[in-house]
Amino acid sequence: MGFFKTSSSFPRTILLACALALAASVGAAAQPAISVRGNVGASFFRSPDLLNEALHSGVDVGVGAGIEIYRGLSFTVRGGIDRFTLNEQSFRRVGFRNGGDVSFLSGSLGLRYTYENETDAHPYVAIGGGRYRRTISNLRAVEDGELVNLEGSRADKRLGTHLALGSLLRFNDRYALFFEPRYVLYDLAEGPGDAQRYVTLRLGVDVQFGEGGLF
């Protein structure tokens, strides 16, 4: 059994919605609210099941920015990387012929709606999609029950999507702490049951610039 199948498709309506939201902000009032975010976190591979068993939990690092286009609604852009290392003991058991450490380098666009209230805690929901580069490195193969190292690496690029629910804890008008669980699907052409997907738990800092929204 191989480590991955490859395919390519994506619901482009998500990216179109993001592009329309950005276009709507062009020519609007000056001094929009702009936020910059950096985060670290933990990633957990969820599916397919055998691949989930063959990989350890991973790490997530990223940086992004958002521009408020209407009262709590922001257009967002983000770059990040998720990396999962091979669980060698489980890898022997699940029956893959070869595999290795898996990383996803991504650049995405999206929309985020933050519910602003009178407290310091503001929940939000975010959705978006973008380009993902999946790399399999440190390749190993099972031969006669033993793991042997292979040369080289494998990589491909696909379009993926994400959905996130988070909470923003604001310290003052400039700084805030956020916590965000995010669900990521890579290459939806595999079908709902076979698409590779993982969950990240992100903790980071949000820095706010500008005054008010665009409208």
Side-chain angles (χ1 to χ4, degrees), residues 8-168:
S8 135
S9 179
F10 180 72
R12 288 178 172 80
T13 53
I14 294 177
L15 294 179
L16 178 60
C18 294
L20 291 175
L22 180 62
S25 69
V26 175
Q31 293 187 324
I34 300 173
S35 63
V36 176
R37 290 186 169 190
N39 78 272
V40 296
S43 300
F44 305 91
F45 213 96
R46 305 306 303 163
S47 180
D49 291 338
L50 291 181
L51 189 55
N52 179 25
E53 294 182 32
L55 296 173
H56 287 293
S57 57
V59 295
D60 171 89
V61 179
V63 63
I67 178 169
E68 189 175 16
I69 55 179
Y70 184 82
R71 294 187 186 134
L73 181 65
S74 297
F75 173 81
T76 62
V77 58
R78 182 184 184 273
I81 185 169
D82 294 274
R83 180 175 174 81
F84 304 88
T85 56
L86 192 68
N87 184 330
E88 295 185 354
Q89 292 183 344
S90 297
F91 180 72
R92 298 170 190 259
R93 186 178 64 249
V94 297
F96 289 116
R97 290 193 304 268
N98 57 74
D101 302 338
V102 181
S103 63
F104 295 89
L105 179 64
S106 62
S108 62
L109 305 177
L111 296 173
R112 181 176 67 232
Y113 176 73
T114 303
Y115 177 69
E116 299 178 351
N117 52 56
E118 296 180 356
T119 71
D120 294 328
H122 307 283
Y124 65 85
V125 60
I127 190 172
R131 194 74 168 174
Y132 286 72
R133 176 183 172 87
R134 179 183 60 186
T135 302
I136 312 167
S137 58
N138 298 324
L139 292 171
R140 276 88 94 198
V142 178
E143 295 182 4
D144 298 326
E146 299 296 329
L147 283 181
V148 296
N149 295 326
L150 302 178
E151 295 183 358
S153 62
R154 300 201 299 269
D156 53 33
K157 296 178 182 179
R158 297 288 185 269
L159 293 169
T161 187
H162 67 262
L163 175 65
L165 297 173
S167 182
L168 190 72

